[in-house]
Amino acid sequence: MSRPDAAAPEVLTFGETMLALRGSGPLRLGGSMEVSVAGAESNVAIGLARLGHAVRWAGAVGKDEAGELVLRTLRAEGVDVRGASLDDGGAPTGLMLAEPRLPEVTRVHYYRAGSAGSRLKACSVERAFTAAPPRILHLTGITPALSRSARSACTLALRLASEHSALVCLDVNFRSRLWSSGEAAEVLRAWAPSVDVLIASDDELPLCLPEGAPGDPAVQAKELLALGVGEVVVKLGAAGATAHTDDGSVLHAPARAVRAVDTVGAGDAFVAGYLSALLDGVSAEARLDRAVTTGAFAVASRGDWEGAPTRAELGLLSAPAGTVVR
């Protein structure tokens, strides 16, 4: 499949990508672990690259073997990492440990305090953005929670997106281990008017609204649209997803029925599918359909991004059970 010119990415994203170690059972019992990498923004980047889009990732990694693995993996998946930076202060690449505790429940432990990814600088993001402005800037609520410098990088990226007429996608992705709901709300409420596509689970919507906003997700979505958000997409897990557009339309897509293996990374896969369809210029209904499809691939596969489908594979979930693809 031919790709657009790597010098002109369709999507720019940045954030922390960590070394990921996944155990086969409870960590306290020891055993073997699989080595990979993981990070919400890079998960989205890989998902988009597999669907044939040009994506640039501009995170920071340590000058260590884990950082080399991060960059090598992203390059191998077709993600442009020329905007990535190596920490020159000796900070290590962050670490994530994952342990399956129940068939559909995975517990995750982070070791990212003082990591290279948390030291992301605004100047690095500015270089990555202005070298070739993207059509879409993708942010998550994880990056601004990492540090003041990472938050400043996000603020600058939002300004640059406005100056270069790039669409802004925000996946709220609230992480209570990184910051409190009050801290998150202070930042995300300020960002909301600059967001073109806001993606969140129903319990994350209040973080983007003034205090005292109505508690019903449908009403909250309307409030966000009134604040200037172009489109609100609400992830509902096993119940699918709903899109609220600025023309007043409310669309719903049920989740694809698959055997759940690992739910980690499903939200990122959903975002990748939605942005892919947005770049293709299809309807909101088709965007939702692709998003729940890519999300289902993630749920049916182990790992954060490993199960992300290629464009040619999108139709596999519609194949009859027992189908052998030759």
Side-chain angles (χ1 to χ4, degrees):
M1 179 185 296
S2 62
R3 292 185 182 278
D5 183 0
E10 293 175 277
V11 179
L12 168 67
T13 190
F14 58 91
E16 181 171 32
T17 297
M18 298 161 284
L19 178 71
L21 302 180
R22 299 187 181 93
S24 56
L27 291 175
R28 66 171 67 94
L29 300 181
S32 61
M33 304 195 79
E34 295 181 355
V35 182
S36 185
V37 302
E41 298 80 10
S42 57
N43 293 344
V44 171
I46 290 173
L48 282 164
R50 286 195 179 179
L51 292 169
H53 299 284
V55 193
R56 177 170 292 163
W57 178 83
V61 296
K63 290 184 177 179
D64 49 31
E65 293 303 298
E68 290 294 334
L69 177 61
V70 169
L71 297 179
R72 178 179 181 275
T73 300
L74 293 178
R75 289 192 194 100
E77 288 294 330
V79 176
D80 180 354
V81 296
R82 287 177 293 178
S85 58
L86 295 174
D87 186 88
D88 56 9
T93 302
L95 172 65
M96 183 190 91
L97 302 179
E99 55 172 342
R101 294 301 291 119
L102 294 170
E104 296 179 21
V105 178
T106 298
R107 190 158 56 190
V108 178
H109 309 273
Y110 296 106
Y111 299 86
R112 61 202 307 178
S115 66
S118 70
R119 297 186 182 188
L120 178 70
K121 298 176 182 178
C123 58
S124 298
V125 172
E126 183 175 24
R127 286 195 299 269
F129 199 110
T130 57
R135 289 175 57 186
I136 296 176
L137 168 68
H138 173 61
L139 298 175
T140 76
I142 297 174
T143 305
L146 297 175
S147 67
R148 289 185 179 180
S149 64
R151 191 174 305 179
S152 295
C154 293
T155 301
L156 175 61
L158 282 170
R159 178 171 65 79
L160 291 171
S162 176
E163 292 176 359
H164 292 276
S165 300
L167 292 177
V168 174
C169 172
L170 170 64
D171 181 4
V172 173
N173 227 330
F174 176 64
R175 294 289 185 270
S176 60
R177 294 183 184 180
L178 295 176
W179 58 354
S180 68
S181 58
E183 291 173 313
E186 183 179 356
V187 172
L188 299 177
R189 288 167 185 166
W191 287 7
S194 302
V195 174
D196 296 287
V197 180
L198 188 145
I199 301 177
S201 57
D202 54 357
D203 61 341
E204 292 173 332
L205 291 176
L207 296 174
C208 305
L209 287 165
E211 286 189 53
D216 179 75
V219 177
Q220 291 172 341
K222 289 182 180 179
E223 291 285 335
L224 286 165
L225 293 173
L227 288 175
V229 176
E231 193 167 326
V232 179
V233 183
V234 185
K235 295 178 290 185
L236 302 171
T242 301
H244 304 256
T245 61
D246 57 4
D247 64 1
S249 299
V250 180
L251 302 167
H252 177 75
R256 292 297 195 105
V258 294
R259 181 180 300 172
V261 173
D262 184 357
T263 59
V264 176
D268 303 327
F270 177 97
V271 173
Y274 199 87
L275 291 182
S276 169
L278 181 65
L279 288 165
D280 286 351
V282 300
S283 67
E285 183 178 13
R287 296 196 292 271
L288 273 181
D289 180 70
R290 188 176 300 179
V292 296
T293 298
T294 51
F297 270 93
V299 170
S301 309
R302 296 196 182 280
D304 284 58
W305 53 267
E306 285 83 348
T310 63
R311 190 172 290 257
E313 292 173 326
L314 288 173
L316 289 179
L317 291 182
S318 301
T323 297
V324 176
V325 180
R326 300 184 187 277

